[in-house]
Each structure stands twice: as structure tokens, then as C-alpha cells.
Amino acid sequence: MATAKPHSNTATSTSGQRRANFGSLFFCPTCSNLLENPGDQDHIVCHACGDAQEGSQFEEIETVSRSQGSAFPSRLRNKRSLVQDVGETERVDATVDELCQKCGATEMTFNTLQMRSADEGQTVFYKCVKCGYGFSVNN
């Protein structure tokens, strides 16, 4: 089984015929013209030189394509990268006077997340600064 790779290559089929391909594009071995997509055809005929290729030689070809993230720029991806860059700064949790249910300490750190739908309150996560015990409250 020949594998079509994202770079140009020439493969030899089991019948001994040479076949040139670039990704999922196939070219005539005689004149290098682009061949039609093989599909379920018994023979693939080159429109430029008339050379015929057996359709069966294209049946077991796996096409693998890869691209880099920068290959398809988008405004959304750029916004995400800006937000992630800002989020990499040192994080300082806020503190509140809240009684720890485990050790009795009176100071806890907290942060909030919108875990449910937007029309409902946020979830507050508390963590004891002394023993590390944590719990959450839905507001």
C-alpha cells in the first residue's frame, strides 16, 4: 500500500507501474499532467496524452495531510493567543474572612467561575490558606 504524503513523491504500484503524486493529487507518469480523481473508475485516462492507468492502483492509497496552525490565520485564533498571553502573568488569589470548616482558620482564598448558564450565578471556590481545605458555593 502506497501512502500519499504532503510532499511530492513517486510510488510504484504492485503491478510495477510508476505513479507520481503530490498529497492527494495524482499525475500522469507519461506527461506529468494532473489526472482526474480516480473515484470508482476502472481506468483513468490522461486528457493530455491519452495514457490510461488502471483504477485499481489508486484503491488502497491512504492520504495524510498536515498543516501548521499558522497556515490558516483567523481573527478568533489571534484573539485567543492574546488572551492566553495576558493570562500567563503571576496569579494572586483574593482573600476573604471565611471560617474554614476543617481547621477553624478565619482566612480563605477564593476565585469564581461561571459554571452554569449565563443567567445563573457564579460558582465561588474557597481554599483555606492554612490547611488547604477547599469547597465551593453556588451563588
Side-chain angles (χ1 to χ4, degrees), residues 9 14 21-23 27-28 44 51 58 67 69 75 85 89 92 96 108 112 114-116 118 125 127 129 131 134 136:
N9 64 19
T14 55
N21 61 308
F22 185 87
F27 298 91
C28 175
I44 312 304
D51 187 27
F58 299 99
S67 63
R75 289 183 183 170
D85 290 343
T89 60
V92 178
V96 65
M108 300 188 92
T112 61
Q114 186 68 41
M115 303 290 286
R116 299 172 290 157
F125 295 92
K127 184 175 181 182
V129 295
C131 69
S136 64

mmCIF file of all heavy atoms in Angstrom, residues 9 14 21-23 27-28 44 51 58 67 69 75 85 89 92 96 108 112 114-116 118 125 127 129 131 134 136:
data_model
loop_
_atom_site.group_PDB
_atom_site.id
_atom_site.type_symbol
_atom_site.label_atom_id
_atom_site.label_comp_id
_atom_site.label_asym_id
_atom_site.label_seq_id
_atom_site.Cartn_x
_atom_site.Cartn_y
_atom_site.Cartn_z
ATOM 1 N N ASN A 9 6.161 12.834 -4.354
ATOM 2 C CA ASN A 9 6.879 11.576 -4.384
ATOM 3 C C ASN A 9 6.419 10.745 -5.565
ATOM 4 O O ASN A 9 5.439 11.050 -6.216
ATOM 5 C CB ASN A 9 6.732 10.805 -3.071
ATOM 6 C CG ASN A 9 5.303 10.388 -2.785
ATOM 7 O OD1 ASN A 9 4.455 10.342 -3.667
ATOM 8 N ND2 ASN A 9 5.028 10.098 -1.536
ATOM 9 N N THR A 14 1.793 -2.251 -7.201
ATOM 10 C CA THR A 14 2.086 -3.679 -7.185
ATOM 11 C C THR A 14 2.219 -4.237 -8.598
ATOM 12 O O THR A 14 2.864 -5.249 -8.804
ATOM 13 C CB THR A 14 0.979 -4.443 -6.435
ATOM 14 O OG1 THR A 14 -0.279 -4.123 -7.030
ATOM 15 C CG2 THR A 14 0.968 -4.063 -4.965
ATOM 16 N N ASN A 21 2.643 11.440 -7.337
ATOM 17 C CA ASN A 21 1.564 12.100 -6.624
ATOM 18 C C ASN A 21 2.117 13.203 -5.735
ATOM 19 O O ASN A 21 3.272 13.212 -5.369
ATOM 20 C CB ASN A 21 0.734 11.112 -5.818
ATOM 21 C CG ASN A 21 1.523 10.396 -4.765
ATOM 22 O OD1 ASN A 21 2.570 9.830 -5.073
ATOM 23 N ND2 ASN A 21 1.050 10.400 -3.543
ATOM 24 N N PHE A 22 1.250 14.146 -5.431
ATOM 25 C CA PHE A 22 1.547 15.237 -4.514
ATOM 26 C C PHE A 22 0.344 15.364 -3.622
ATOM 27 O O PHE A 22 -0.714 15.812 -4.065
ATOM 28 C CB PHE A 22 1.792 16.540 -5.283
ATOM 29 C CG PHE A 22 2.225 17.673 -4.406
ATOM 30 C CD1 PHE A 22 3.554 17.860 -4.115
ATOM 31 C CD2 PHE A 22 1.297 18.532 -3.858
ATOM 32 C CE1 PHE A 22 3.957 18.900 -3.302
ATOM 33 C CE2 PHE A 22 1.687 19.572 -3.044
ATOM 34 C CZ PHE A 22 3.015 19.761 -2.760
ATOM 35 N N GLY A 23 0.461 14.921 -2.349
ATOM 36 C CA GLY A 23 -0.704 14.892 -1.473
ATOM 37 C C GLY A 23 -1.721 13.931 -2.039
ATOM 38 O O GLY A 23 -1.430 12.781 -2.302
ATOM 39 N N PHE A 27 -0.609 12.411 -10.829
ATOM 40 C CA PHE A 27 -0.129 12.922 -12.107
ATOM 41 C C PHE A 27 0.186 11.777 -13.048
ATOM 42 O O PHE A 27 0.600 10.700 -12.630
ATOM 43 C CB PHE A 27 1.114 13.798 -11.893
ATOM 44 C CG PHE A 27 0.831 15.002 -11.043
ATOM 45 C CD1 PHE A 27 0.992 14.955 -9.673
ATOM 46 C CD2 PHE A 27 0.379 16.177 -11.623
ATOM 47 C CE1 PHE A 27 0.721 16.052 -8.886
ATOM 48 C CE2 PHE A 27 0.106 17.283 -10.844
ATOM 49 C CZ PHE A 27 0.273 17.220 -9.467
ATOM 50 N N CYS A 28 0.015 12.040 -14.339
ATOM 51 C CA CYS A 28 0.296 11.056 -15.385
ATOM 52 C C CYS A 28 1.791 10.746 -15.401
ATOM 53 O O CYS A 28 2.614 11.665 -15.448
ATOM 54 C CB CYS A 28 -0.151 11.618 -16.733
ATOM 55 S SG CYS A 28 0.267 10.545 -18.125
ATOM 56 N N ILE A 44 -8.232 5.266 -15.583
ATOM 57 C CA ILE A 44 -8.081 6.711 -15.531
ATOM 58 C C ILE A 44 -7.306 7.101 -16.785
ATOM 59 O O ILE A 44 -6.176 6.644 -16.993
ATOM 60 C CB ILE A 44 -7.285 7.167 -14.283
ATOM 61 C CG1 ILE A 44 -7.803 6.513 -13.015
ATOM 62 C CG2 ILE A 44 -7.279 8.677 -14.173
ATOM 63 C CD1 ILE A 44 -9.257 6.717 -12.726
ATOM 64 N N ASP A 51 -2.738 8.474 -22.171
ATOM 65 C CA ASP A 51 -2.240 7.322 -21.430
ATOM 66 C C ASP A 51 -3.304 6.866 -20.435
ATOM 67 O O ASP A 51 -3.955 7.677 -19.779
ATOM 68 C CB ASP A 51 -0.948 7.703 -20.692
ATOM 69 C CG ASP A 51 -0.283 6.510 -20.036
ATOM 70 O OD1 ASP A 51 -0.470 5.381 -20.525
ATOM 71 O OD2 ASP A 51 0.431 6.708 -19.038
ATOM 72 N N PHE A 58 -5.145 2.885 -7.537
ATOM 73 C CA PHE A 58 -5.420 4.017 -6.667
ATOM 74 C C PHE A 58 -6.318 3.645 -5.487
ATOM 75 O O PHE A 58 -6.621 4.476 -4.658
ATOM 76 C CB PHE A 58 -6.111 5.134 -7.472
ATOM 77 C CG PHE A 58 -5.281 5.651 -8.607
ATOM 78 C CD1 PHE A 58 -5.508 5.209 -9.899
ATOM 79 C CD2 PHE A 58 -4.278 6.573 -8.382
ATOM 80 C CE1 PHE A 58 -4.754 5.689 -10.951
ATOM 81 C CE2 PHE A 58 -3.517 7.052 -9.433
ATOM 82 C CZ PHE A 58 -3.745 6.611 -10.718
ATOM 83 N N SER A 67 -0.995 20.336 8.424
ATOM 84 C CA SER A 67 -0.778 21.762 8.253
ATOM 85 C C SER A 67 -0.389 22.359 9.595
ATOM 86 O O SER A 67 -0.699 21.810 10.653
ATOM 87 C CB SER A 67 -2.035 22.452 7.710
ATOM 88 O OG SER A 67 -3.087 22.340 8.628
ATOM 89 N N GLY A 69 -0.561 25.406 12.412
ATOM 90 C CA GLY A 69 -1.610 26.288 12.887
ATOM 91 C C GLY A 69 -1.596 27.642 12.210
ATOM 92 O O GLY A 69 -2.627 28.276 12.026
ATOM 93 N N ARG A 75 -9.009 35.654 12.873
ATOM 94 C CA ARG A 75 -9.101 36.676 13.918
ATOM 95 C C ARG A 75 -9.360 36.036 15.271
ATOM 96 O O ARG A 75 -8.814 36.470 16.280
ATOM 97 C CB ARG A 75 -10.210 37.657 13.580
ATOM 98 C CG ARG A 75 -9.880 38.548 12.418
ATOM 99 C CD ARG A 75 -10.984 39.546 12.167
ATOM 100 N NE ARG A 75 -10.668 40.344 11.006
ATOM 101 C CZ ARG A 75 -11.503 41.156 10.422
ATOM 102 N NH1 ARG A 75 -12.730 41.278 10.903
ATOM 103 N NH2 ARG A 75 -11.141 41.856 9.368
ATOM 104 N N ASP A 85 -1.766 35.008 26.376
ATOM 105 C CA ASP A 85 -0.534 35.676 26.759
ATOM 106 C C ASP A 85 -0.733 36.514 28.018
ATOM 107 O O ASP A 85 0.110 36.542 28.894
ATOM 108 C CB ASP A 85 -0.014 36.562 25.620
ATOM 109 C CG ASP A 85 0.508 35.739 24.450
ATOM 110 O OD1 ASP A 85 0.765 34.533 24.642
ATOM 111 O OD2 ASP A 85 0.653 36.296 23.351
ATOM 112 N N THR A 89 0.512 35.875 33.339
ATOM 113 C CA THR A 89 1.114 36.652 34.411
ATOM 114 C C THR A 89 0.896 35.941 35.739
ATOM 115 O O THR A 89 0.054 35.063 35.867
ATOM 116 C CB THR A 89 0.495 38.070 34.461
ATOM 117 O OG1 THR A 89 -0.906 37.938 34.692
ATOM 118 C CG2 THR A 89 0.744 38.816 33.173
ATOM 119 N N VAL A 92 -2.559 36.046 41.626
ATOM 120 C CA VAL A 92 -2.676 36.284 43.058
ATOM 121 C C VAL A 92 -4.145 36.109 43.410
ATOM 122 O O VAL A 92 -5.004 36.808 42.889
ATOM 123 C CB VAL A 92 -2.190 37.702 43.435
ATOM 124 C CG1 VAL A 92 -2.364 37.951 44.917
ATOM 125 C CG2 VAL A 92 -0.753 37.900 43.013
ATOM 126 N N VAL A 96 -10.542 36.386 51.747
ATOM 127 C CA VAL A 96 -11.789 36.799 52.387
ATOM 128 C C VAL A 96 -11.816 36.220 53.793
ATOM 129 O O VAL A 96 -11.203 35.186 54.070
ATOM 130 C CB VAL A 96 -13.014 36.342 51.558
ATOM 131 C CG1 VAL A 96 -13.113 34.837 51.521
ATOM 132 C CG2 VAL A 96 -14.297 36.961 52.046
ATOM 133 N N MET A 108 -9.493 32.672 54.025
ATOM 134 C CA MET A 108 -9.507 31.746 52.888
ATOM 135 C C MET A 108 -9.299 32.537 51.603
ATOM 136 O O MET A 108 -9.643 33.714 51.522
ATOM 137 C CB MET A 108 -10.833 30.979 52.810
ATOM 138 C CG MET A 108 -11.123 30.140 54.040
ATOM 139 S SD MET A 108 -12.546 29.094 53.816
ATOM 140 C CE MET A 108 -11.755 27.630 53.216
ATOM 141 N N THR A 112 -13.754 32.729 41.325
ATOM 142 C CA THR A 112 -15.088 32.424 40.804
ATOM 143 C C THR A 112 -15.001 31.969 39.357
ATOM 144 O O THR A 112 -14.090 32.352 38.622
ATOM 145 C CB THR A 112 -16.006 33.660 40.879
ATOM 146 O OG1 THR A 112 -15.444 34.703 40.086
ATOM 147 C CG2 THR A 112 -16.196 34.131 42.302
ATOM 148 N N GLN A 114 -17.879 30.902 35.995
ATOM 149 C CA GLN A 114 -19.253 30.787 35.512
ATOM 150 C C GLN A 114 -19.429 29.361 35.013
ATOM 151 O O GLN A 114 -19.145 29.043 33.874
ATOM 152 C CB GLN A 114 -19.514 31.796 34.380
ATOM 153 C CG GLN A 114 -20.946 31.842 33.926
ATOM 154 C CD GLN A 114 -21.864 32.407 34.997
ATOM 155 O OE1 GLN A 114 -21.524 33.361 35.659
ATOM 156 N NE2 GLN A 114 -23.020 31.802 35.168
ATOM 157 N N MET A 115 -19.888 28.474 35.887
ATOM 158 C CA MET A 115 -20.003 27.053 35.567
ATOM 159 C C MET A 115 -21.351 26.704 34.944
ATOM 160 O O MET A 115 -21.477 25.736 34.219
ATOM 161 C CB MET A 115 -19.822 26.207 36.838
ATOM 162 C CG MET A 115 -18.509 26.434 37.563
ATOM 163 S SD MET A 115 -17.112 25.805 36.687
ATOM 164 C CE MET A 115 -17.330 24.070 36.976
ATOM 165 N N ARG A 116 -22.372 27.483 35.248
ATOM 166 C CA ARG A 116 -23.720 27.200 34.759
ATOM 167 C C ARG A 116 -24.085 28.212 33.686
ATOM 168 O O ARG A 116 -23.227 28.957 33.217
ATOM 169 C CB ARG A 116 -24.690 27.241 35.946
ATOM 170 C CG ARG A 116 -24.340 26.181 36.992
ATOM 171 C CD ARG A 116 -25.134 26.316 38.253
ATOM 172 N NE ARG A 116 -24.702 27.518 38.969
ATOM 173 C CZ ARG A 116 -25.438 28.173 39.847
ATOM 174 N NH1 ARG A 116 -26.658 27.765 40.099
ATOM 175 N NH2 ARG A 116 -24.988 29.227 40.462
ATOM 176 N N ALA A 118 -25.511 31.537 31.711
ATOM 177 C CA ALA A 118 -25.192 32.940 31.986
ATOM 178 C C ALA A 118 -26.233 33.624 32.849
ATOM 179 O O ALA A 118 -25.926 34.593 33.550
ATOM 180 C CB ALA A 118 -25.027 33.691 30.670
ATOM 181 N N PHE A 125 -15.195 29.308 44.561
ATOM 182 C CA PHE A 125 -14.327 28.254 45.092
ATOM 183 C C PHE A 125 -13.467 28.846 46.208
ATOM 184 O O PHE A 125 -12.724 29.804 45.991
ATOM 185 C CB PHE A 125 -13.431 27.695 43.982
ATOM 186 C CG PHE A 125 -14.200 26.996 42.895
ATOM 187 C CD1 PHE A 125 -14.622 27.686 41.771
ATOM 188 C CD2 PHE A 125 -14.501 25.652 43.012
ATOM 189 C CE1 PHE A 125 -15.334 27.041 40.771
ATOM 190 C CE2 PHE A 125 -15.210 24.998 42.024
ATOM 191 C CZ PHE A 125 -15.625 25.699 40.901
ATOM 192 N N LYS A 127 -10.559 28.214 49.372
ATOM 193 C CA LYS A 127 -9.457 27.337 49.775
ATOM 194 C C LYS A 127 -8.803 27.943 51.012
ATOM 195 O O LYS A 127 -8.428 29.116 51.023
ATOM 196 C CB LYS A 127 -8.439 27.203 48.649
ATOM 197 C CG LYS A 127 -7.323 26.233 48.954
ATOM 198 C CD LYS A 127 -6.411 26.044 47.751
ATOM 199 C CE LYS A 127 -5.330 25.057 48.059
ATOM 200 N NZ LYS A 127 -4.422 24.891 46.930
ATOM 201 N N VAL A 129 -6.096 28.999 53.568
ATOM 202 C CA VAL A 129 -4.675 29.325 53.431
ATOM 203 C C VAL A 129 -3.818 28.532 54.420
ATOM 204 O O VAL A 129 -2.618 28.369 54.206
ATOM 205 C CB VAL A 129 -4.422 30.843 53.614
ATOM 206 C CG1 VAL A 129 -5.076 31.635 52.505
ATOM 207 C CG2 VAL A 129 -4.905 31.336 54.958
ATOM 208 N N CYS A 131 -4.703 25.110 55.901
ATOM 209 C CA CYS A 131 -4.664 23.653 55.723
ATOM 210 C C CYS A 131 -4.935 23.198 54.273
ATOM 211 O O CYS A 131 -4.767 22.031 53.948
ATOM 212 C CB CYS A 131 -5.667 22.963 56.652
ATOM 213 S SG CYS A 131 -7.401 23.266 56.232
ATOM 214 N N GLY A 134 -10.696 22.837 50.677
ATOM 215 C CA GLY A 134 -11.455 23.640 49.728
ATOM 216 C C GLY A 134 -12.893 23.189 49.610
ATOM 217 O O GLY A 134 -13.227 22.030 49.854
ATOM 218 N N SER A 136 -16.859 24.644 47.490
ATOM 219 C CA SER A 136 -17.458 25.596 46.553
ATOM 220 C C SER A 136 -18.885 25.904 46.947
ATOM 221 O O SER A 136 -19.550 25.106 47.622
ATOM 222 C CB SER A 136 -17.422 25.037 45.130
ATOM 223 O OG SER A 136 -18.205 23.876 45.040
#
